[in-house]
Amino acid sequence: MLTSMQGEIPAVICPVTCRTPEEAVHFIRRLSKDHRTDIIELRLDYMWPDMTVDGLVQLCRTAKDILGEKPLIATFRTHAEGGEASITDAEYVALKCDIAKAGCASYIDVEYNRGRSVVDNILGSARVYGMKTILSTHDFQKTDSEDRLLEKLVVMKQTSPDIVKMAVMPLRPDDVLRLLSATAAMKELYPDTPLITMSMGRLGAVSRLIGGVFGSIATFAAAGHGSAPGQMQLGPMRDVLTIISEASGSA
């Protein structure tokens, strides 16, 4: 469902960052008809702990029914990874595994830094129930060396998720180049492993636009309130991606 190749337009993922299920459902209905977005990410952490695990699973069911063929990513982004809420390992595993069992998303996001036991538990459950996974890592403080970025991508890939995602914070322009170079190196080493990578903040915004050239299959754009620093709005993002694709095709 998330497919892109070098030179093609990356998929555009739009996050839903509403604070109540009623607002989320209303927003998802609107996005379901918006041709500018390819995938919807439902940020469940924005509604925790006001909603229970069961309530969040039911919300995912409703969202998936509304979206039909448009893919849904179920994400709980924790405080440690730049999200809105904290959650225990037991609650985190229960939520992700219950979503996998219910089949009420197209993908579940799993935070690599939760630890190997948590990751293996959720990925194992997802495989049993046929749920696709995105193994993600976010560093809001810095960008490591290209070698360390590549090493981490390789280690994440070895846990066998369906997609590997990495987001880092640049402190200077060459940090952005290191993220893009690591993406290209990973793509060359493992061409069959789908990647989503980005450099965050204002410095990193360019990576969200040209990441597809280096091997990233998707980018994020907001329809209102974004979910991470540096996210562009949906309309301008789609326009720029189209321009880049047309320029690449005419070269």
Side-chain angles (χ1 to χ4, degrees), residues 61-156:
R61 285 196 185 96
T62 301
K64 193 168 189 296
D65 288 343
I66 292 169
L67 291 172
E69 295 300 313
K70 186 172 284 191
L72 173 69
I73 302 171
T75 296
F76 190 110
R77 185 68 63 236
T78 62
H79 270 147
E81 301 265 327
E84 292 294 302
S86 296
I87 188 171
T88 67
D89 284 349
E91 291 167 329
Y92 187 81
V93 170
L95 174 61
K96 301 298 175 135
C97 291
D98 284 359
I99 292 172
K101 183 176 181 180
C104 55
S106 309
Y107 294 84
I108 52 174
D109 175 279
V110 183
E111 292 178 351
Y112 173 73
N113 293 327
R114 292 296 293 195
R116 191 60 186 262
S117 176
V118 169
V119 169
D120 286 349
N121 195 333
I122 297 172
L123 294 186
S125 179
R127 293 185 195 105
V128 168
Y129 295 112
M131 175 64 65
K132 294 185 180 296
T133 54
I134 300 173
L135 188 62
S136 65
T137 181
H138 305 75
D139 188 337
F140 280 79
Q141 303 302 318
K142 66 184 186 311
T143 299
D144 286 328
S145 68
E146 180 182 339
D147 287 346
R148 292 193 66 179
L149 293 175
L150 179 59
E151 179 183 7
K152 190 166 191 178
L153 288 170
V154 170
V155 171
M156 292 171 70

Side-chain angles (χ1 to χ4, degrees), residues 24-220:
V25 167
H26 177 75
F27 193 42
I28 290 166
R29 288 190 191 280
R30 179 160 68 86
L31 291 176
S32 70
K33 301 177 177 67
D34 194 329
H35 68 279
R36 299 171 301 174
T37 180
D38 302 300
I39 301 123
I40 305 303
E41 180 187 46
L42 180 54
R43 283 288 300 271
L44 302 171
D45 50 298
Y46 277 80
M47 290 167 279
W48 180 269
D50 294 335
M51 293 184 69
T52 64
V53 167
D54 288 344
L56 293 175
V57 172
Q58 182 56 50
L59 178 59
C60 288
R61 285 196 185 96
T62 301
K64 193 168 189 296
D65 288 343
I66 292 169
L67 291 172
E69 295 300 313
K70 186 172 284 191
L72 173 69
I73 302 171
T75 296
F76 190 110
R77 185 68 63 236
T78 62
H79 270 147
E81 301 265 327
E84 292 294 302
S86 296
I87 188 171
T88 67
D89 284 349
E91 291 167 329
Y92 187 81
V93 170
L95 174 61
K96 301 298 175 135
C97 291
D98 284 359
I99 292 172
K101 183 176 181 180
C104 55
S106 309
Y107 294 84
I108 52 174
D109 175 279
V110 183
E111 292 178 351
Y112 173 73
N113 293 327
R114 292 296 293 195
R116 191 60 186 262
S117 176
V118 169
V119 169
D120 286 349
N121 195 333
I122 297 172
L123 294 186
S125 179
R127 293 185 195 105
V128 168
Y129 295 112
M131 175 64 65
K132 294 185 180 296
T133 54
I134 300 173
L135 188 62
S136 65
T137 181
H138 305 75
D139 188 337
F140 280 79
Q141 303 302 318
K142 66 184 186 311
T143 299
D144 286 328
S145 68
E146 180 182 339
D147 287 346
R148 292 193 66 179
L149 293 175
L150 179 59
E151 179 183 7
K152 190 166 191 178
L153 288 170
V154 170
V155 171
M156 292 171 70
K157 183 262 180 196
Q158 290 171 347
T159 64
S160 299
D162 293 282
I163 298 171
V164 173
K165 177 191 174 191
M166 173 180 283
V168 295
M169 184 64 73
L171 302 180
R172 55 190 189 182
D174 58 343
D175 285 346
V176 182
L177 296 178
R178 282 202 292 275
L179 182 278
L180 293 172
S181 294
T183 303
M186 182 68 179
K187 187 65 176 177
E188 185 173 351
L189 282 173
Y190 300 101
D192 296 328
T193 298
L195 301 172
I196 300 174
T197 66
M198 68 213 67
S199 192
M200 296 183 285
R202 294 185 66 181
L203 268 179
V206 65
S207 71
R208 299 178 181 274
L209 300 171
I210 64 171
V213 177
F214 294 83
S216 182
I217 65 167
T219 189
F220 286 76

